[in-house]
Amino acid sequence: MAETPLNTTAEYSAPHNAMGTSGNPELDMYKQRLARSAYDAEAWIGLVNLAKYTGDDALLHQTYTGALKQYPSSGQLLASLAELELRLGNRESAEAIFNSNLFSVPSTELWQCYLSYVLKSNVDGQGVVSQPERRATVMECYRLVLDNIGCDREAGCIWADYIGFLSSGQVNAPYEEQQKIEKLREAYQAAVAVPHHKVEEIWKGYDMFENKIDRATARQMLSRTSPSYMTARTVLRAMNKHWEAIKHNQPPHGIPAPPEWSPREIDYLDAWKQYLKWETSNPLNLSDSAALCRRVIYAYSQACIALRFYPEIWIEFAEYLSSLEQHSEALAKLRSASQVLPSSLAV
């Protein structure tokens, strides 16, 4: 715990001219605060809100890019910048954000932004995805998103939207209807086995889906899926308690800050460690060890974003990867940690 705090006056790219005055007292105040500490999350968010209020897209863009130099793995900031680029018509810049960060930043916000982009790129004049080749593109996108962040407790809306997308598909032959039913059943069964905020709502939809098809077989299908759903629902309750402790102690706006080892920061670290320990204990009783490892790795990846400036969480992640004999990945994590925390003796 005796780590030396990061130098909070690290270089950053301040919006506009950081050395002069802008004529806007509020803007000047935020610039001065950031000149003193580049990790002042309240100042960054203040600048974002000011830029939005005044409609200054140039300031908003510079603020996002400046903040991302301090918080390069913030899914919230990356998604906001990508949305801004798309609104300004800079598709290539938005795509560059997706290509560079989607697979390294476990963020439902960033993946949802990417999914929305793909959906909007494939709608027809009526605002729906109707052409078969375009529907195939969107289907592939949904699967990619869910393969990467479908285990997140915030992924319920994406699961629900995916099921809705499958339901909207038009069929022209009996075999196509059967294929649609099988895809929907597979999606429902996968969605209700994950502890997310919409698991109960989706289960009710699945119950209606099966009973609408055939009441005689619905009981069998539902009884077969019910155990995994009941486990997911129970696990969600326990998970929510862990996340309540994390949210209660997190820094302003959830943006990571170099710790000064205050009691609240120590509680924040402890809340994350308790959550990681819980995920490692396999609360879902997964029989597939690879699926368990994916969940734990996802949780540790989230922790390394939230606890970016806490060396021991990087070390724990590397130790976990080593226990899986993923030695090259463990070494890569330690290298990343040394880049984030160059003055830390722990890494």
Side-chain angles (χ1 to χ4, degrees):
M1 291 293 186
E3 286 295 322
T4 303
L6 274 179
N7 175 12
T8 57
T9 59
E11 277 190 25
Y12 77 104
S13 295
H16 299 310
N17 180 8
M19 300 305 294
T21 58
S22 65
N24 184 323
E26 189 176 3
L27 174 59
D28 292 337
M29 176 195 67
Y30 289 133
K31 291 196 305 184
Q32 289 166 9
R33 285 176 59 173
L34 288 170
R36 290 192 296 269
S37 172
Y39 295 102
D40 185 340
E42 293 284 2
W44 284 116
I45 297 301
L47 271 177
V48 167
N49 292 335
L50 177 62
K52 288 181 177 179
Y53 179 76
T54 59
D56 189 339
D57 286 335
L59 173 61
L60 186 59
H61 192 281
Q62 290 174 27
T63 301
Y64 283 143
T65 55
L68 280 165
K69 289 185 178 180
Q70 312 310 319
Y71 315 108
S73 56
S74 170
Q76 174 188 352
L77 290 171
L78 287 165
S80 296
L81 179 57
E83 289 169 357
L84 176 62
E85 296 286 17
L86 290 171
R87 182 165 63 79
L88 296 176
N90 303 327
R91 288 171 59 102
E92 290 185 4
S93 297
E95 289 174 357
I97 293 170
F98 296 140
N99 291 333
S100 299
N101 297 282
L102 277 174
F103 296 102
S104 59
V105 178
S107 164
T108 54
E109 291 168 306
L110 183 58
W111 278 99
Q112 181 69 70
C113 178
Y114 170 68
L115 177 59
S116 298
Y117 168 63
V118 173
L119 281 167
K120 290 176 182 177
S121 299
N122 285 279
V123 296
D124 57 24
Q126 284 71 48
V128 296
V129 184
S130 56
Q131 296 179 16
E133 62 274 13
R134 289 179 178 262
R135 285 191 65 84
T137 297
V138 172
M139 180 86 70
E140 184 179 352
C141 179
Y142 268 115
R143 288 173 178 165
L144 179 66
V145 173
L146 291 169
D147 282 348
N148 282 274
I149 52 100
C151 65
D152 197 297
R153 75 176 192 133
E154 303 292 344
C157 289
I158 299 176
W159 280 108
D161 289 348
Y162 176 49
I163 290 168
F165 178 76
L166 291 174
S167 299
S168 69
Q170 300 297 311
V171 294
N172 300 305
Y175 79 92
E176 290 180 349
E177 177 66 27
Q178 186 58 38
Q179 287 180 336
K180 179 178 177 179
I181 289 172
E182 290 173 358
K183 287 178 181 178
L184 273 165
R185 179 175 288 133
E186 180 183 5
Y188 270 120
Q189 291 177 350
V192 299
V194 178
H196 55 70
H197 291 316
K198 284 189 172 287
V199 66
E200 292 188 30
E201 177 184 324
I202 292 176
W203 173 259
K204 291 176 183 177
Y206 179 47
D207 186 306
M208 293 174 59
F209 167 77
E210 291 290 6
N211 277 287
K212 185 178 180 180
I213 295 171
D214 188 330
R215 287 185 175 273
T217 60
R219 188 178 297 106
Q220 179 184 1
M221 288 292 182
L222 292 168
S223 64
R224 187 181 302 167
T225 310
S226 179
S228 58
Y229 159 66
M230 294 297 290
T231 299
R233 191 177 68 171
T234 301
V235 166
L236 177 63
R237 295 194 188 107
M239 181 186 289
N240 284 340
K241 291 181 180 178
H242 284 286
W243 277 98
E244 284 169 9
I246 289 171
K247 299 285 188 183
H248 178 72
N249 292 292
Q250 72 181 8
H253 309 287
I255 297 177
E260 297 179 354
W261 303 112
S262 67
R264 182 170 180 172
E265 289 169 334
I266 293 171
D267 288 344
Y268 184 53
L269 173 61
D270 184 63
W272 266 105
K273 292 178 74 172
Q274 290 299 318
Y275 170 62
L276 293 168
K277 182 179 179 181
W278 177 78
E279 281 284 8
T280 307
S281 73
N282 192 13
L284 283 168
N285 297 316
L286 298 171
S287 57
D288 182 353
S289 59
L292 172 61
C293 291
R294 285 195 295 272
R295 278 196 67 89
V296 176
I297 288 173
Y298 184 84
Y300 266 113
S301 297
Q302 287 183 306
C304 283
I305 292 175
L307 300 169
R308 178 176 175 81
F309 305 112
Y310 292 70
E312 66 183 275
I313 214 68
W314 291 90
I315 295 170
E316 277 193 21
F317 192 8
E319 288 174 347
Y320 177 75
L321 291 170
S322 290
S323 74
L324 302 177
E325 309 232 339
Q326 296 184 20
H327 300 299
S328 60
E329 290 84 352
L331 182 59
K333 287 300 168 191
L334 291 176
R335 285 174 177 161
S336 295
S338 65
Q339 291 172 355
V340 175
L341 301 159
S343 61
S344 173
L345 299 178
V347 293

